[in-house]
């Protein structure tokens, strides 16, 4: 079935080889970042969709959901179509290297932060260091970990960049000499799936 689907996809794709996409329609993707595409099952027979299986993966649990992997630099020009040749989705992207995205709190990207300054913050933020991302960045998730000496006092989950109510209250227990780790920080880049960036490590000096 997989081979037949691949052959069908290639056959249909040949119908479009004479069409040149306008450069203005090319979007930017980033190497290693994925994109989910989902169709409505009540309007489309998702098991009959043909696509490039080298680039796109169909979910086993939800046949109407497809994940595009941008693993190579350069131009990606492909389509998801019906067996009858009807185009469902045209993917036209220039894949660029993934720029560095870093988390920060206040004015610090890590290291020592005075207790008073740390307690004044309401969450953490992210930014692209070299300005290589045109899309908006949205911090969607992180884990908050509080250490005293070698002992981890707690770990809590947080959605979004601002502290939730529980963490806002727990922050008040932080003392001089403690360490705070923000781990598993997930950032959403425009329409793409979230990516995990490096942890943010904070030390509260004595």
């Amino acid at each position: 079935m997989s081979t037949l689907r691949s052959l069908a996809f290639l056959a249909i794709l040949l119908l479009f080889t004479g069409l040149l996409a306008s450069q203005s329609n090319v979007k930017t993707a980033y190497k290693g970042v994925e994109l989910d595409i989902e169709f409505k099952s009540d309007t489309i027979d998702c098991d009959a969709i043909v696509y490039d299986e080298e680039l796109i993966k169909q979910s086993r649990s939800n046949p109407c959901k497809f994940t595009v992997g941008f693993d190579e630099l350069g131009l990606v020009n492909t389509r998801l179509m019906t067996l009858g040749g009807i185009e469902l989705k045209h993917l036209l992207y220039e894949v660029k290297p993934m720029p560095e995205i870093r988390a920060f709190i206040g004015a610090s990207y890590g290291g020592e932060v005075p207790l008073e300054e740390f307690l004044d913050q309401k969450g953490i933020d992210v930014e692209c260091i070299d300005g290589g991302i045109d899309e908006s960045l949205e911090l969607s998730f992180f884990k908050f970990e509080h250490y005293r000496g070698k002992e981890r006092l707690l770990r809590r989950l947080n959605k979004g960049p601002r502290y939730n109510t529980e963490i806002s209250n727990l922050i008040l227990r932080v003392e001089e000499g403690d360490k705070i780790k923000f781990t598993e920080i997930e950032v959403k880049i425009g329409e793409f799936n979230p990516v995990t960036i490096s942890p943010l490590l904070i030390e509260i000096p004595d």
Side-chain angles (χ1 to χ4, degrees), residues 153-165:
L153 301 181
L154 58 90
R155 173 193 284 172
R156 295 293 187 273
L157 312 183
N158 194 94
K159 293 183 178 181
R162 305 280 76 86
Y163 297 142
N164 59 36
T165 302

Side-chain angles (χ1 to χ4, degrees), residues 158-189:
N158 194 94
K159 293 183 178 181
R162 305 280 76 86
Y163 297 142
N164 59 36
T165 302
E166 182 184 18
I167 293 180
S168 295
N169 293 329
L170 292 172
I171 286 288
L172 301 177
R173 302 181 186 179
V174 175
E175 300 177 359
E176 293 180 345
D178 290 353
K179 295 181 180 179
I180 303 296
K181 295 182 180 181
F182 299 92
T183 61
E184 299 184 33
I185 303 170
E186 295 184 0
V187 180
K188 196 172 187 305
I189 306 171

Side-chain angles (χ1 to χ4, degrees), residues 66-124:
F66 298 81
T67 299
V68 186
F70 299 99
D71 298 324
E72 301 293 336
L73 300 178
L75 187 67
V76 169
N77 186 2
T78 190
R79 293 169 170 82
L80 291 96
M81 296 172 287
T82 67
L83 285 171
I86 299 175
E87 180 182 300
L88 300 174
K89 184 75 173 181
H90 183 194
L91 302 168
L92 184 59
Y93 288 89
E94 178 70 24
V95 183
K96 299 181 179 181
M98 180 65 184
E100 182 181 5
I101 300 174
R102 293 176 62 185
F104 64 96
I105 182 167
S108 175
Y109 291 94
E112 291 190 351
V113 176
L115 179 59
E116 184 176 353
E117 179 181 337
F118 177 77
L119 295 178
D120 283 342
Q121 308 308 315
K122 305 302 180 183
I124 62 176

Side-chain angles (χ1 to χ4, degrees), residues 12 26 52-54 78 85 120 144 148 163 176 186 192 200:
I12 296 172
V26 179
D52 183 351
E53 295 185 6
E54 294 295 322
T78 190
D120 283 342
F144 172 87
R148 185 160 295 158
Y163 297 142
E176 293 180 345
E186 295 184 0
F192 301 97
L200 174 62

Side-chain angles (χ1 to χ4, degrees), residues 1 5 44-50 58 81-84 88:
M1 181 63 183
R5 179 175 289 177
I44 298 174
D45 180 5
C46 296
D47 286 321
I49 293 176
V50 290
Q58 187 176 26
M81 296 172 287
T82 67
L83 285 171
L88 300 174

